[in-house]
Amino acid sequence: MGAPPPGAAKARGITRGRLRQSLRVSVTEGMFAEVFTACAGATVLTAWAVALKLGPFLVGVMTALPFFAQFVQFPAAWLTGGFGHRRVALAAVCLSRLVMFPLALVPWLDWGLVATQRLLLAIAGASAVLGVVGNNAWVAWMGELVPHAVRGRFFGRRTALTTLAGTVVSLAAGGLMDRLRPDGGVGVALPLLALVGCGIGIITTLLMALQHDPAPPGPLPARAMQAALQPLKDVRVRGVLVYQVAWNAAVGVSAPFFALHSLQNLQMTFVLMALHAAAVAAVRILTVPWWGQVIDRVGAQPVLLGCSLGIGVIPALWLLPSADCLWPLVFDAVLAGALWGGHALAIFALPLTVAPREGRPFYLAAFATAGGLAYTAAAALGGGIAARLPATFTLGGLPWVNLHVLFVLSSVARLAAALLVTHVDEPGARPVRSLGALLPRWLTRPAFDTALARSRARAPRR
């Protein structure tokens, strides 16, 4: 009676084999997805904006489109819950990458500057909306596919490898854009990268199709509005929602303008920007696996708190470099690489832990919508502030540019938002409530904990 039923071991072996295969394919797919980002991501879109003479306000709007598109999260969650994680992710992710194809035809489209600017904004918006739908389905899919016990380690390893792939391709893309950069206009490199991105989009779709979905599609929610409002009524997720709003607003004030500042004010070439990104990626590759182990050991909340505090310093570092003095960016590369990797893992793992399995797509939609809309509003505000300030001015006897003001505002706001993490409750973890308890929680060694537990187990009970 205690033995497993006949065939159970065989079935379990098949399940484990499919799981291992899906996880291996997921890593490969993630590496190709980073290749697409290197060909059609924020840096390349900023290069398109500079080539098409978009001002700071439109650059901020375009960069914030992926976050503004979060308003479709709830319809995306409805689709994910009804048609299944795998189906929605395959369709939406594929279309979000193939929509870049019209940019490859720009050199042959004699539409004029204004029409081409509108085309760029329309494509960026369509890709953002489809990307939000696909990401909602993909995150819910991974929440079902990857076991909770190894989630931190798996995504730590996956992030390291995908970052490595993205770094190599970013360097190649930067060299291509510098080599084929025209004196004016779009040139050849940007349309070529758009074409390559479309090809990579097809490859990633085929790789995603090789992964199985352990949760089959269910019936469409009968009360979609009630399911959408449920996360707002859940006391467990309010702390995460408040943090998402405050943090994304603090980041959105400055994040869209770092690439623009590098190109226009620091006079950096695309190769130099790619080398800086490569340095950030190298540090991230080295530190992300460790962050994954820390999350599995102590939870995501302590990691999120520490990384948020450290990231709050990063925008202020961008006050130091100038066109003739770029070496302070070394500090930015080290801090950004080490801290953003841990932050990305923690903010990915925490919603999956807080949100219940039933209705998880709607919880994920609430998190993403709250953060995305806050980021969009802050980016538009930052662009408006930069447009109203003089391009250069003197303050305290030092030369400033308009974007420096946004960096200072963002740094202060990030530090304030980081403190909100102390109010986040993570089920199954021991959240950190004070800064003094943060470092000891991180530095606890697994071997020491294991030895201590064994010694307590062997000790006689009194």
Side-chain angles (χ1 to χ4, degrees):
M1 293 179 64
K10 183 177 179 181
R12 186 167 56 253
I14 294 175
T15 302
R16 289 177 179 174
R18 292 187 67 190
L19 175 61
R20 292 193 185 99
Q21 179 186 0
S22 294
L23 295 183
R24 286 194 297 266
V25 174
S26 176
V27 174
T28 305
E29 181 270 329
M31 296 173 71
F32 277 98
E34 287 297 317
V35 175
F36 171 81
T37 301
C39 295
T43 301
V44 177
L45 288 178
T46 303
W48 275 99
V50 173
L52 296 177
K53 299 180 175 59
L54 268 69
F57 178 75
L58 289 180
V59 170
V61 170
M62 184 188 68
T63 310
L65 283 175
F67 298 89
F68 179 71
Q70 302 297 330
F71 74 90
V72 302
Q73 279 281 356
F74 288 108
W78 184 80
L79 290 173
T80 299
F83 294 99
H85 316 107
R86 186 172 179 271
R87 293 178 182 175
V88 177
L90 284 172
V93 171
C94 180
L95 291 175
S96 71
R97 292 166 182 172
L98 292 182
V99 76
M100 293 290 176
F101 181 73
L103 291 178
L105 305 178
V106 165
W108 293 274
L109 297 176
D110 189 15
W111 286 3
L113 182 61
V114 175
T116 308
Q117 290 175 343
R118 293 175 180 174
L119 175 65
L120 174 63
L121 293 173
I123 289 176
S127 178
V129 171
L130 291 168
V132 167
V133 177
N135 188 66
N136 180 277
W138 183 83
V139 173
W141 183 6
M142 292 298 104
E144 298 289 343
L145 181 63
V146 183
H148 179 270
V150 299
R151 192 172 288 161
R153 279 169 286 174
F154 169 75
F155 284 107
R157 174 175 172 268
R158 184 181 187 272
T159 301
L161 292 174
T162 56
T163 303
L164 176 62
T167 302
V168 174
V169 180
S170 294
L171 286 171
L176 180 66
M177 286 189 290
D178 275 339
R179 188 176 182 85
L180 301 179
R181 188 176 186 178
D183 295 333
V186 173
V188 178
L190 294 176
L192 181 60
L193 289 175
L195 185 61
V196 172
C198 292
I200 295 298
I202 296 175
I203 295 176
T204 56
T205 303
L206 295 176
L207 290 172
M208 290 176 65
L210 297 177
Q211 304 169 50
H212 79 284
D213 186 0
L220 293 173
R223 299 179 179 178
M225 183 58 67
Q226 182 178 354
L229 295 178
Q230 182 60 35
L232 303 179
K233 302 177 182 178
D234 196 331
V235 179
R236 296 171 300 175
V237 305
R238 287 179 184 172
V240 182
L241 284 172
V242 172
Y243 168 78
Q244 287 275 53
V245 171
W247 179 257
N248 280 274
V251 173
V253 170
S254 63
F257 307 102
F258 286 109
L260 183 64
H261 180 63
S262 300
L263 288 172
Q264 291 187 347
N265 300 321
L266 301 183
Q267 301 297 314
M268 293 174 64
T269 63
F270 288 109
V271 170
L272 281 178
M273 293 177 62
L275 287 173
H276 175 262
V280 174
V283 178
R284 187 171 185 172
I285 290 169
L286 294 175
T287 56
V288 158
W290 180 77
W291 285 123
Q293 295 175 10
V294 174
I295 289 174
D296 286 341
R297 187 168 73 244
V298 303
Q301 190 263 2
V303 173
L304 186 63
L305 174 59
C307 290
S308 298
L309 288 170
I311 292 171
V313 181
I314 292 178
L317 293 177
W318 283 77
L319 302 179
L320 303 177
S322 62
D324 300 325
C325 181
L326 296 176
W327 66 265
L329 292 180
V330 173
F331 298 107
D332 171 79
V334 174
L335 285 178
L339 297 176
W340 273 116
H343 186 278
L345 285 180
I347 201 61
F348 179 85
L350 186 60
L352 291 178
T353 305
V354 174
R357 187 172 184 270
E358 184 179 356
R360 179 177 287 167
F362 288 96
Y363 279 78
L364 299 177
F367 295 137
T369 301
L373 295 181
Y375 183 101
T376 304
L381 176 63
I385 294 174
R388 289 181 176 272
L389 290 173
T392 59
F393 58 95
T394 302
L395 181 64
L398 298 174
W400 285 59
V401 298
N402 53 356
L403 299 182
H404 283 162
V405 177
L406 304 184
F407 299 158
V408 173
L409 291 175
S410 180
S411 186
V412 175
R414 292 184 194 194
L415 291 174
L419 299 178
L420 296 174
V421 184
T422 58
H423 301 290
V424 173
D425 290 319
E426 181 182 4
R430 296 166 57 189
V432 173
R433 300 302 182 193
S434 65
L435 300 182
L438 187 60
L439 284 180
R441 186 69 55 83
W442 280 6
L443 298 178
T444 301
R445 293 179 297 177
F448 177 78
D449 290 344
T450 303
L452 181 61
R454 290 178 178 174
S455 65
R456 288 177 176 175
R458 290 196 299 266
R461 297 183 179 178
R462 296 181 180 179

